[in-house]
Amino acid sequence: MRAVLDSNVLISAAITRGATHHIVREWLESEPFELIICHALLEEVTTVLTERDQMRRWISVEDARLYVDRLSTTADVRDDPPPGPSLTRDPDDDFIIYLARENNADLIVSGDGDLLDWPEQHPPVVRPAEFERVLTQN
């Protein structure tokens, strides 16, 4: 199975212990799915985790950099997808869909309402808790 994890999932995984954390931990430990990521996604996660002061409550800059480095050396890092027509209510989310489509991902994991409510759902967008259930059933 090939999956794209949205930045909100990757960020949440670094600072919480819920479904997002379990998904990333499971991927790091046993690779039950192929994580597809791109440079723009890594940059977004890096920026949020290292440059936002409110993140210091949950993660140090050093740990954030180690986390992103682990993602960038373990995931299937692809080129940023080319832009295309707007697909969702928030055009900033469209690159996630284009990344998933360009790399034949089976699904997108996100907590973002603009992606979850996207009418086309190709590939499907699932919430982290739903994806966690899929991983524990396999």
Side-chain angles (χ1 to χ4, degrees), residues 20-39:
T20 57
H21 179 80
H22 296 142
I23 290 166
V24 172
R25 187 185 69 215
E26 186 70 22
W27 168 73
L28 286 168
E29 291 175 359
S30 62
E31 294 187 32
F33 63 96
E34 183 179 351
L35 175 57
I36 300 166
I37 202 164
C38 67
H39 301 286

Side-chain angles (χ1 to χ4, degrees), residues 42-92:
L42 283 169
E43 185 176 320
E44 186 175 343
V45 172
T46 301
T47 299
V48 170
L49 290 177
T50 63
E51 296 180 14
R52 291 193 182 167
D53 290 337
Q54 66 265 35
M55 290 294 149
R56 298 300 70 78
R57 180 175 170 188
W58 297 285
I59 191 168
S60 69
V61 171
E62 180 181 338
D63 286 345
R65 290 187 195 285
L66 289 170
Y67 173 70
V68 173
D69 185 57
R70 182 95 187 264
L71 290 174
S72 68
T73 58
T74 310
D76 185 0
V77 181
R78 301 296 181 102
D79 291 334
D80 294 343
S86 185
L87 300 170
T88 65
R89 293 181 302 231
D90 182 355
D92 290 340

Side-chain angles (χ1 to χ4, degrees), residues 4 36-38 41 79 81 95-103:
V4 171
I36 300 166
I37 202 164
C38 67
L41 192 52
D79 291 334
F95 87 97
I96 295 292
I97 297 167
Y98 285 116
L99 175 65
R101 285 180 172 178
E102 185 150 313
N103 293 283

